[in-house]
Amino acid sequence: KIYTEQYCPQYHFSPPEKWMNDPNGLVYNNGLYHLFYQYYPEDIVWGPMHWGHAVSHDMVYWKHKPIALYPDEHGLIFSGSAVVDKNNTSGFGVDGKEPLVAVFTYHLMEGEKAGRNDFQTQGIAYSLDNGDTWTKYDGNPVIDNKGIRDFRDPKVFWHDKTQSWILVLVAGDHAKFYTSKDLKKWRYLSEFGKYRGAHGGVWECPDLFPLKVEGTDKEKWVLIISINPGAPNGGSETQYFIGDFDGITFTSTQKKQKWLDYGTDNYAGVTYNNTPDGKRIFIGWMSNWDYARNTPTKKWRSAMTIPRELLLKKIEDDYVLASMPLAEINTLATAVLEKFKVASGNSDTLNVKDLNQSKITFTTASRDFKLIFSNDLKETLVLAMNFKNNGFIVDRMKSGDTGFQSEFGNKKHFVPIKEFTNEFFDVNILLDWSSIEIFLDNGIYSITEQIFPTEPFNQLIIENSDYQAEIENGEIQFMKSVW
Ligand code: FRU
């Protein structure tokens, strides 16, 4: 039986068994959202990488598919993306079938072991049956390596204005852009990032896409870059830059990175190509390289974030990338477990049996409150909004099993927040058996964390220490299992 193990998420995507890391090849085609992922089918720790595969009609319920890509003579199959080649530019299509083309990194173990620097190259494969079976291109690799040690994670998309494919990959401390007419021959364009953003670690898993500024017709380009290590709360996380892309160069006036998520467990996230409604949908890997290999699960390891819609907001003179759980996820919220309202200077204790599989929402103008989740063993997870300290805190130090790796529970996690966009803001929390996702102020702040309470949380204490504002419209809803 699968999905019954302790800590196994009930409404997040996780592999039926064995090790998973980055989401790959996120693409919509013919009624299906594809989710490929870095997968090692032999163990629950990282090993020779394959592309695992699942599909969904709604990104709520997933169906597992056989492994899509296996290692071959060019190497292991590292992260990458997939596109629908509607005009058959690649020539892979036969009998009018549109090819689905995957673009990924080959990692040649032997090359790495021999101490060479050219062991990562880019390859492609295609499918003519909407992802069920794949053929590797016999001209692989399509982008060779001239001696760059970290040279990987290609994200490809169709660029209308120049009628060409654009590829962005990372090369250690910067991103490189390439162009192609047929997905096979690639020409180098430009680079970005050596002197921008965070450089505490190597750059990984880039993504580049246009997004309308909410409420306007103006379009800006967003460049997403994961970084490991160097995250604000330790280990790996994802930064982004807002700018413009003209088909050749990405430019941005932004010097400092912005963080897509302030938690410790949202890494290597990228967005879907070809969504039917034009929405920009993001999925991240809900772990952190600091301790990903050590989390206390037995048959499987790690899950994906809930799919999120990305929205670009202009706040005063600044652009901010907000993320909110995809609206479809709400169809799982089937029963109200509790409603609450906490007056200023008051506290409320809610005993709720199914807290570990719930969605918690409220609105408030309170700038000083605490949410304390606990179980019969007195394990606690504390979320604290405290404007005197300019921010929001997640304290999982005593949240259950934290001892599997020292980096997991060694400190409180801090989210700097000076002000919200309005006096009233919304709090949106998704709790599953081993994760919590917190969205504040319409998703302007998102915080994703793993937790391993050894018994389910069954109590929520809400302390509202603000003497001027209530906590209102509080609701705890049960989230149905998708498995
Ligand atoms: C990010 C990453 C990628 C790489 C993959 C290997 O987590 O390190 O850069 O392609 O994982 O599994």
Side-chain angles (χ1 to χ4, degrees):
K1 268 196 116 184
I2 55 172
Y3 298 105
T4 52
E5 189 183 317
Q6 186 189 18
Y7 302 132
C8 195
Q10 291 302 310
Y11 63 95
H12 285 79
F13 181 83
S14 63
E17 56 167 11
K18 308 301 180 192
W19 167 274
M20 173 180 83
N21 57 293
D22 315 358
N24 295 148
L26 302 185
V27 67
Y28 174 86
N29 188 36
N30 265 331
L32 288 183
Y33 291 90
H34 291 274
L35 168 56
F36 300 91
Y37 50 89
Q38 288 287 277
Y39 189 49
Y40 182 45
E42 307 284 328
D43 206 344
I44 56 161
V45 289
W46 192 92
M49 283 289 120
H50 300 54
W51 272 26
H53 187 200
V55 293
S56 174
H57 292 287
D58 53 10
M59 283 195 275
V60 179
Y61 295 90
W62 295 93
K63 186 174 168 215
H64 296 294
K65 297 289 239 174
I67 290 175
L69 297 173
Y70 286 81
D72 61 39
E73 74 272 18
H74 299 293
L76 316 178
I77 315 294
F78 272 22
S79 285
S81 51
V83 292
V84 183
D85 184 11
K86 288 182 188 156
N87 299 321
N88 197 19
T89 62
S90 61
F92 290 143
V94 286
D95 304 334
K97 286 186 201 143
E98 293 178 356
L100 207 56
V101 181
V103 187
F104 50 85
T105 296
Y106 272 124
H107 178 99
L108 193 64
M109 223 59 136
E110 296 83 334
E112 186 184 16
K113 281 193 190 127
R116 300 165 62 121
N117 277 327
D118 56 359
F119 52 85
Q120 292 187 338
T121 57
Q122 321 310 319
I124 60 177
Y126 63 93
S127 168
L128 299 178
D129 53 9
N130 203 2
D132 282 349
T133 57
W134 290 84
T135 309
K136 302 232 185 71
Y137 173 47
D138 56 15
N140 277 340
V142 293
I143 301 183
D144 225 332
N145 187 335
K146 305 226 160 56
I148 303 173
R149 215 191 134 73
D150 296 292
F151 188 66
R152 58 178 178 265
D153 308 341
K155 171 72 188 241
V156 175
F157 62 92
W158 177 253
H159 188 247
D160 244 346
K161 257 193 209 142
T162 55
Q163 289 289 299
S164 56
W165 298 103
I166 299 290
L167 181 153
V168 54
L169 55 70
V170 278
D173 61 355
H174 64 278
K176 285 188 188 297
F177 304 92
Y178 296 79
T179 182
S180 175
K181 292 287 181 202
D182 61 4
L183 293 163
K184 295 169 177 165
K185 289 182 290 302
W186 292 94
R187 185 164 58 83
Y188 173 71
L189 291 173
S190 62
E191 63 173 62
F192 175 88
K194 270 190 189 138
Y195 307 103
R196 307 292 184 93
H199 284 282
V202 69
W203 282 24
E204 297 186 315
C205 301
D207 195 359
L208 177 67
F209 51 86
L211 206 54
K212 282 245 165 73
V213 181
E214 222 183 20
T216 76
D217 272 335
K218 198 182 156 109
E219 199 170 78
K220 297 295 283 180
W221 285 75
V222 182
L223 177 67
I224 288 183
I225 304 276
S226 281
I227 178 172
N228 175 46
N233 285 303
S236 42
E237 255 304 333
T238 303
Q239 58 180 324
Y240 67 90
F241 302 88
I242 309 289
D244 295 295
F245 181 70
D246 60 4
I248 300 173
T249 326
F250 176 76
T251 49
S252 170
T253 53
Q254 188 189 323
K255 295 264 184 284
K256 249 191 107 196
Q257 73 281 357
K258 295 172 188 231
W259 296 106
L260 189 125
D261 195 297
Y262 276 91
T264 43
D265 296 282
N266 180 357
Y267 194 62
V270 284
T271 66
Y272 269 88
N273 275 325
N274 200 38
T275 52
D277 45 12
K279 276 187 189 161
R280 195 41 72 172
I281 300 164
F282 170 100
I283 293 180
W285 174 45
M286 209 149 45
S287 198
N288 187 313
W289 281 115
D290 267 1
Y291 46 73
R293 304 162 185 85
N294 312 98
T295 54
T297 62
K298 295 190 184 82
K299 292 211 171 83
W300 57 281
R301 196 166 265 148
S302 85
M304 296 298 180
T305 65
I306 213 75
R308 302 169 183 193
E309 183 176 0
L310 298 183
L311 302 156
L312 190 58
K313 296 176 189 273
K314 190 163 190 197
I315 297 165
E316 288 168 3
D317 285 330
D318 210 13
Y319 293 105
V320 179
L321 191 62
S323 34
M324 279 298 273
L326 203 66
E328 280 74 4
I329 301 302
N330 290 325
T331 57
L332 298 174
T334 44
V336 177
L337 300 174
E338 195 81 46
K339 286 189 182 261
F340 60 90
K341 184 176 168 136
V342 188
S344 56
N346 252 325
S347 103
D348 203 351
T349 300
L350 307 171
N351 294 308
V352 187
K353 201 172 111 264
D354 290 312
L355 216 44
N356 269 79
Q357 201 175 316
S358 70
K359 171 183 158 165
I360 303 163
T361 48
F362 57 90
T363 55
T364 188
S366 174
R367 297 313 194 239
D368 190 357
F369 63 80
K370 248 187 206 168
L371 305 184
I372 306 162
F373 297 87
S374 65
N375 59 19
D376 292 341
L377 298 173
K378 300 273 176 281
E379 294 170 339
T380 55
L381 169 71
V382 184
L383 312 182
M385 174 62 75
N386 188 328
F387 261 59
K388 272 182 233 116
N389 293 323
N390 290 317
F392 185 81
I393 282 164
V394 179
D395 181 354
R396 66 176 178 188
M397 293 171 73
K398 298 196 169 67
S399 60
D401 189 346
T402 59
F404 50 86
Q405 219 282 345
S406 58
E407 259 82 33
F408 184 82
N410 61 352
K411 59 176 188 235
K412 293 179 186 174
H413 300 153
F414 184 69
V415 188
I417 304 175
K418 289 223 179 62
E419 222 358 301
F420 289 119
T421 46
N422 285 302
E423 193 188 346
F424 280 86
F425 65 97
D426 64 302
V427 178
N428 204 312
I429 297 173
L430 293 175
L431 253 181
D432 206 335
W433 288 83
S434 50
S435 66
I436 183 163
E437 292 163 282
I438 306 153
F439 303 88
L440 304 172
D441 198 7
N442 287 312
I444 288 177
Y445 299 91
S446 65
I447 305 129
T448 306
E449 303 249 337
Q450 288 187 88
I451 42 162
F452 300 95
T454 59
E455 273 185 20
F457 289 141
N458 55 12
Q459 187 179 75
L460 172 60
I461 299 174
I462 306 165
E463 291 176 7
N464 181 11
S465 305
D466 190 316
Y467 284 94
Q468 283 156 37
E470 291 185 334
I471 286 176
E472 296 169 52
N473 307 311
E475 204 164 71
I476 305 180
Q477 282 166 287
F478 180 66
M479 295 292 277
K480 239 181 14 196
S481 174
V482 301
W483 302 114

